[in-house]
């Protein structure tokens, strides 16, 4: 595989990760064998393409070519409506007859032999060779002068992936991977760079300074503003840097990132990208090891994890640390389990940043309720069971749990309780006293979404004893409601441990 042109430098983290995911023996920076096809980007404005043939493949090629400024002529006895339209729209002509050798003229920059007759395609090729016109033969890639790579387009950025005609499918699969890793907004970023190119050139006369400046801009807060759709802030910040070139990297930024419930595959692309570029990472106990392994090895890692009854680092100090590091001009990730805005104190942590005008952004994560529900086959809502779902925290305070019990004992509602393990006996008792049927299905999910996930299913009256006997360990999540019954039918995730299922024994 040869990466033809990239919006990305050789071997950036995204590509390293792609290599890790797909496990192909890729090497983008060192090309070991000579390239059969030399990657070039050709300006096709007002140049002519001839397509001989009007079937489906010819139409697909026309569709791709039509994205450039080329004129497209088509010669074919039969052609799809689409290729006819493309040809006309692109200022070309559709000639409705069989091909003749006179059709190949020096007016054409490129020709595609796209008939379904292999011999005819070879004749077209011969005619092109005689005039030195590069030709693509759809029935014989090996005798083609050029091929069509899989492309990923983020206007004006274009990435093309080619397998050198060995396996177009493999090239397409890789292009799909790259496509998923590169935000749409890369195009917007390129557009902005284009707009400021001249000003930056005037501000930084020295090419090394310029390179350094753009490196910081493209990897830093300006780019992140563009990715989060904040073009105005991005431009304002860039202009601010240009006003004071000597301080242009002075301001740090904080990323409040949700790491999801445990399975590293549930991390968002955005979270992954920001983690890769963070210089300091403050993380909680709930963040799983495989996710911590994704952080750049150069980053300073600080564990500020909390245990249930005490904080390893008091909340006020965490807030303070975020401010301090950002003020030093560093990119700081505050990495939290699940979603930072669901029982995650995310709001408190960024309040201080907002007061001090430190740039920050929030990256949502998959909250434990979504993760545990999916990985245990318990839909939180279901037309036959629950039309609403309620998330509450069951944390013990002064030996008791304070919850609006009456609002939790409602028909057709699923109740999800975070931090409810210690308070489970009280929760069970209170729900029953407030009218919940004692045989209401209830489950406790331990270490949800990880290979150590354990699911304990019982009823609201029997769950505390079952969980006690199983010595369940945090983090655990309680799901209460008739949706729990669906677990037996909808379970799909095969964890390492057994299901502790007292209610559903056949
Ligand atoms: N912000 C987090 C919640 C933090 S509170 C989120 O959105 O998920 C911590 C509680 O989340 C734990 O006590 C537990 O109830 C729940 N939790 C987090 N990860 C979990 C997991 N993998 N399995 C079960 N419960 C989990």
């Amino acid at each position: 595989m040869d990466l033809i042109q990239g919006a990305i430098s050789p071997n950036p983290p995204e590509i390293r990760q792609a290599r890790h995911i797909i496990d192909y023996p890729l090497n983008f920076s060192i090309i070991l064998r000579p390239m059969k096809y030399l990657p070039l980007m050709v300006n096709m404005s007002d140049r002519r393409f001839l397509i001989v043939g009007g079937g489906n493949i010819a139409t697909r090629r026309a569709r791709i070519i039509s994205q450039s400024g080329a004129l497209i002529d088509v010669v074919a006895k039969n052609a799809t409506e689409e290729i006819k339209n493309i040809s006309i729209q692109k200022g070309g002509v559709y000639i409705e007859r069989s091909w003749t050798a006179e059709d190949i003229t020096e007016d054409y920059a490129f020709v595609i032999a796209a008939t379904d007759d292999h011999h005819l395609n070879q004749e077209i090729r011969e005619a092109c060779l005689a005039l030195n016109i590069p030709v693509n033969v759809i029935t014989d890639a090996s005798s083609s002068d050029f091929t069509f790579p899989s492309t990923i387009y983020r206007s004006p950025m274009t990435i093309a992936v080619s397998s050198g005609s060995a396996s177009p499918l493999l090239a397409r699969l890789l292009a799909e991977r790259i496509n998923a890793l590169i935000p749409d907004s890369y195009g917007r970023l390129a557009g902005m760079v284009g707009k400021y190119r001249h000003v930056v050139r005037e501000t930084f006369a020295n090419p090394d300074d310029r390179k350094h400046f753009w490196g910081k801009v493209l990897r830093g807060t300006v780019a992140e503003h563009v990715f989060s759709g904040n073009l105005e802030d991005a431009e304002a910040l860039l202009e601010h840097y240009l006003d004071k070139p000597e301080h242009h990297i002075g301001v740090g930024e904080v990323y409040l990132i949700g790491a999801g419930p445990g399975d590293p595959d549930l991390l968002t692309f955005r979270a992954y990208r920001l983690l890769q570029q963070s210089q300091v990472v403050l993380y909680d106990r709930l963040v799983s090891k495989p996710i911590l392994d994704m952080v750049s090895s150069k980053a300073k890692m600080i564990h500020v994890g909390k245990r249930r009854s005490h904080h390893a680092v008091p909340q006020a100090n965490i807030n303070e640390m975020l401010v301090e590091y950002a003020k030093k001009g560093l990119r700081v990730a505050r990495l939290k389990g699940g979603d930072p805005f669901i029982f995650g104190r995310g709001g408190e942590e960024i309040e201080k940043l907002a007061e001090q005008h430190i740039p920050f952004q929030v990256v949502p994560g998959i909250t434990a309720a979504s993760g545990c529900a999916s990985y245990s086959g318990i839909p939180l809502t279901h037309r036959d069971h629950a039309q609403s779902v309620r998330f509450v925290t069951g944390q013990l305070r002064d030996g008791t749990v304070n919850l609006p019990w009456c609002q939790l004992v409602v028909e057709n509602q699923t109740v999800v309780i975070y931090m409810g393990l210690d308070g489970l006996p009280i929760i069970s008792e209170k729900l029953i006293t407030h009218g919940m049927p004692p045989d209401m299905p209830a489950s406790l999910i331990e270490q949800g979404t990880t290979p150590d996930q354990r699911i304990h299913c019982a009823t609201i009256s029997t769950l505390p004893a079952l969980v006690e006997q199983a010595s369940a360990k945090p983090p655990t999540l309680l799901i209460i409601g008739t949706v729990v019954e669906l677990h037996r039918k909808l379970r799909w995730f095969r964890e390492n441990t057994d299901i502790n299922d007292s209610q559903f024994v056949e």
Side-chain angles (χ1 to χ4, degrees):
M1 290 270 169
D2 313 323
L3 182 69
I4 294 186
Q5 183 192 329
I8 38 188
S9 61
N11 275 339
E14 290 90 337
I15 298 298
R16 284 205 302 272
Q17 178 69 0
R19 176 163 45 183
H20 166 72
I21 296 168
I22 58 185
D23 215 16
Y24 296 149
L26 297 174
N27 196 327
F28 292 115
S29 49
I30 305 163
I31 293 160
L32 299 173
R33 275 173 285 137
M35 281 184 282
K36 181 171 174 196
Y37 297 95
L38 176 70
L40 297 170
M41 293 285 167
V42 183
N43 181 352
M44 286 304 296
S45 295
D46 296 327
R47 303 197 66 197
R48 285 197 108 82
F49 240 104
L50 175 68
I51 304 179
V52 184
N56 289 334
I57 301 183
T59 307
R60 280 208 297 275
R61 297 276 195 268
R63 225 178 274 150
I64 296 166
I65 302 163
S66 71
Q67 293 172 22
S68 73
L71 309 163
I72 305 173
D73 292 346
V74 177
V75 182
K77 213 162 174 189
N78 297 307
T80 63
E81 283 309 308
E82 186 181 351
I83 199 169
K84 288 183 203 168
N85 289 336
I86 292 175
S87 160
I88 292 158
Q89 277 163 15
K90 295 303 291 183
V93 285
Y94 167 56
I95 305 161
E96 191 175 356
R97 59 162 170 74
S98 301
W99 170 81
T100 67
E102 288 76 57
D103 289 326
I104 310 289
T105 69
E106 279 165 343
D107 290 343
Y108 292 110
F110 296 98
V111 172
I112 300 176
T115 76
D116 48 16
D117 179 337
H118 178 63
H119 296 291
L120 196 59
N121 285 345
Q122 287 304 328
E123 278 177 38
I124 298 167
R125 175 177 146 75
E126 296 299 322
C128 292
L129 283 180
L131 292 178
N132 254 335
I133 301 172
V135 60
N136 171 263
V137 183
I138 62 159
T139 48
D140 184 8
S142 62
S143 65
S144 292
D145 298 315
F146 63 94
T147 61
F148 284 81
S150 290
T151 49
I152 299 131
Y153 193 44
R154 301 281 187 274
S155 168
M157 307 300 302
T158 312
I159 299 165
V161 182
S162 161
S163 65
S165 75
S167 170
L169 177 63
L170 196 55
R172 199 155 67 237
L173 289 177
L174 179 57
E176 275 167 21
R177 299 276 182 174
I178 298 174
N179 193 27
L181 287 169
I182 298 181
D184 279 347
S185 37
Y186 256 90
R188 254 180 279 151
L189 183 61
M192 196 189 73
V193 171
K195 183 169 160 191
Y196 284 90
R197 235 175 115 176
H198 295 295
V199 191
V200 172
R201 189 178 284 265
E202 278 164 25
T203 313
F204 300 97
N206 180 325
D208 283 343
D209 289 350
R210 218 156 48 225
K211 204 164 136 195
H212 181 69
F213 176 80
W214 278 127
K216 294 287 175 195
V217 164
L218 295 177
R219 275 190 221 107
T221 315
V222 174
E224 283 310 324
H225 278 321
V226 177
F227 295 152
S228 56
N230 231 333
L231 210 56
E232 253 177 47
D233 284 2
E235 294 199 355
L237 189 58
L238 185 61
E239 281 167 20
H240 169 74
Y241 290 170
L242 289 168
D243 273 351
K244 292 197 180 111
E246 64 285 5
H247 302 139
H248 64 73
I249 49 162
V251 192
E253 190 177 16
V254 176
Y255 313 129
L256 180 59
I257 301 175
D263 182 347
D265 273 6
L266 297 180
L267 200 71
T268 60
F269 286 127
R270 184 180 193 77
Y272 174 73
R273 204 181 57 248
L274 292 177
L275 277 181
Q276 283 281 326
Q277 64 184 47
S278 295
Q279 294 158 298
V280 184
V281 178
L282 279 71
Y283 65 96
D284 279 351
R285 186 177 58 96
L286 277 181
V287 178
S288 68
K289 168 114 184 17
I291 289 177
L292 293 177
D293 289 344
M294 289 183 192
V295 176
S296 152
S297 56
K298 291 190 213 121
K300 181 181 169 91
M301 302 294 289
I302 304 171
H303 183 197
V304 293
K306 331 177 200 174
R307 298 202 174 267
R308 268 167 301 158
S309 48
H310 62 275
H311 296 139
V313 177
Q315 188 64 51
N317 292 18
I318 298 178
N319 303 352
E320 224 20 82
M321 283 160 86
L322 294 176
V323 171
E324 293 299 309
Y325 281 115
K327 280 192 169 168
K328 285 184 188 159
L330 297 170
R331 293 187 296 274
V332 189
R334 173 67 179 107
L335 189 58
K336 302 176 82 78
D339 182 277
F341 278 3
I342 295 185
F343 305 127
R345 298 192 172 199
E348 295 168 41
E349 296 186 2
I350 55 177
E351 243 169 67
K352 185 122 196 157
L353 300 170
E355 283 163 17
Q356 309 240 357
H357 306 290
I358 290 169
F360 62 84
Q361 43 179 304
V362 184
V363 183
I366 292 185
T367 189
S370 299
C372 294
S374 300
Y375 279 55
S376 55
I378 302 175
L380 295 178
T381 64
H382 186 289
R383 279 198 295 172
D384 300 335
H385 293 271
Q387 278 74 52
S388 70
V389 54
R390 207 161 163 139
F391 295 176
V392 293
T393 155
Q395 210 165 14
L396 272 179
R397 275 187 205 278
D398 305 326
T400 191
V401 181
N402 272 326
L403 281 171
W405 301 107
C406 291
Q407 293 173 23
L408 302 187
V409 186
V410 173
E411 278 195 15
N412 300 327
Q413 175 177 260
T414 305
V415 177
V416 177
I417 306 185
Y418 288 69
M419 296 172 269
L421 182 60
D422 289 349
L424 179 58
I426 300 174
I427 292 168
S428 160
E429 184 203 311
K430 292 273 188 191
L431 286 173
I432 295 170
T433 353
H434 284 80
M436 184 172 277
D439 61 354
M440 176 64 81
S443 64
L444 182 117
I445 296 141
E446 224 181 305
Q447 303 189 50
T449 79
T450 72
D452 299 324
Q453 171 173 291
R454 288 209 296 171
I455 305 170
H456 310 276
C457 286
T459 65
I460 190 61
S461 58
T462 58
L463 190 64
L466 181 76
V467 165
E468 159 109 56
Q469 176 214 333
S471 316
K473 285 177 202 61
T476 64
L477 193 84
L478 272 167
I479 304 182
I480 303 162
T482 58
V483 285
V484 171
E485 288 166 0
L486 296 166
H487 151 74
R488 267 183 81 209
K489 196 168 163 195
L490 303 183
R491 181 183 159 225
W492 58 273
F493 178 64
R494 302 287 158 199
E495 49 282 281
N496 290 342
T497 42
D498 290 337
I499 305 279
N500 191 1
D501 189 339
S502 82
Q503 191 197 4
F504 303 125
V505 178
E506 277 164 313

